[in-house]
Amino acid sequence: MLGAVLDAVLGDPRRGHPVAGFGRVASRVEHLVYRDSRMAGVLYAGLLVGGAGLAGIAVERACGRSGPVTAVATWAVLGGASLGREGSLMADALERGDLDAARARLPHLCARDPEGLKADELARATVESVAENTSDAAVAPLLWGAVAGVPGLFVYRAVNTLDAMVGYRNERYERFGWAAARLDDAMNWVPARVTGALVAMFGGPRAWRVLLQDGGKHPSPNAGRCEAAFAGALGVRLGGTNAYGGLVERRPEMGDGRAPEVRDVRRAVRLSAAVTFAAAGLAAVVAWGRG
């Protein structure tokens, strides 16, 4: 709980962020082991995720299951405050009609091509990203920390970071990034569904209905649960045509409400924050029972 409060109040560490440091190490390892093969990707993910797990075990052995140590580790891996800040900055740009600034901010939230997107399209992209990343950045690390302590926090963030770095279906990473992407899918399977349920608790019957009706339509095994629940809770319709690196994808629509509007961005950010703190409470209960 203290780690979640630190994240909400302080946001990410401004200097020496351990996740950024891990990313730099991962980039160097990629240069050393990269081959256009799944086996090379398995080796890459195994070395880095295994190293993160060993680091977490070392921390717990050195410090014990100390409350302050767990709080700092939780703060280091949580991204809820950063997600909310990016969503709010996007809302600021859209509300003042500065589409150039909004398009420039979109890569901070997702990999979608921002060029040519209109205000409502940018709003939809932001709501979808906030929905998906509520699980990835907040709920999942809290739950993994609850069941596996500091090693769970470190391993989850390592897997999620590797997926963000190499888990793309493009020419370079189609095979090399396969292991990282599948690991991320596996580690997010339960958290994504917990996220959907927590969103639906706040969103009411409509959110439950859309979650159950449309959650499985998304090409991702996990993102659809989060996006469908958000769509129902906000009374909007998510999904549609998206462009990634020049490739156009048509994704099934989730929800039966209106198209997202600029005003829905702040509503999504507030809902994400509420779900994050509910997840922190749930994680504290789970960790208490485990202890």
Side-chain angles (χ1 to χ4, degrees), residues 51 220 234 248:
S220 163
L234 298 175
V248 176

Side-chain angles (χ1 to χ4, degrees), residues 135 139-141 143-144 156 186-196 226:
S135 177
V139 177
L143 294 184
W144 278 105
Y156 174 76
M187 294 196 75
N188 277 295
W189 198 92
V190 170
R193 284 149 183 81
V194 172
T195 302
C226 307

Side-chain angles (χ1 to χ4, degrees), residues 168-192:
Y168 297 101
R169 292 184 176 178
N170 57 27
E171 186 176 350
R172 178 174 175 83
Y173 293 128
E174 176 73 27
R175 285 172 286 276
F176 183 77
W178 174 84
R182 296 292 77 76
L183 268 176
D184 187 72
D185 286 343
M187 294 196 75
N188 277 295
W189 198 92
V190 170

Side-chain angles (χ1 to χ4, degrees), residues 267-289:
R267 296 176 64 215
V269 170
R270 289 193 294 268
L271 179 56
S272 176
V275 169
T276 296
F277 276 99
L282 175 63
V285 170
V286 172
W288 183 274

Side-chain angles (χ1 to χ4, degrees), residues 55-101:
I57 292 170
V59 168
E60 280 204 343
R61 286 187 175 176
C63 304
R65 290 183 177 176
S66 160
V69 170
T70 302
V72 171
T74 302
W75 171 42
V77 304
L78 272 184
S82 294
L83 176 62
R85 182 177 63 250
E86 289 298 332
S88 295
L89 289 170
M90 176 65 81
D92 290 341
L94 290 173
E95 288 166 359
R96 65 175 183 266
D98 190 346
L99 292 187
D100 287 339

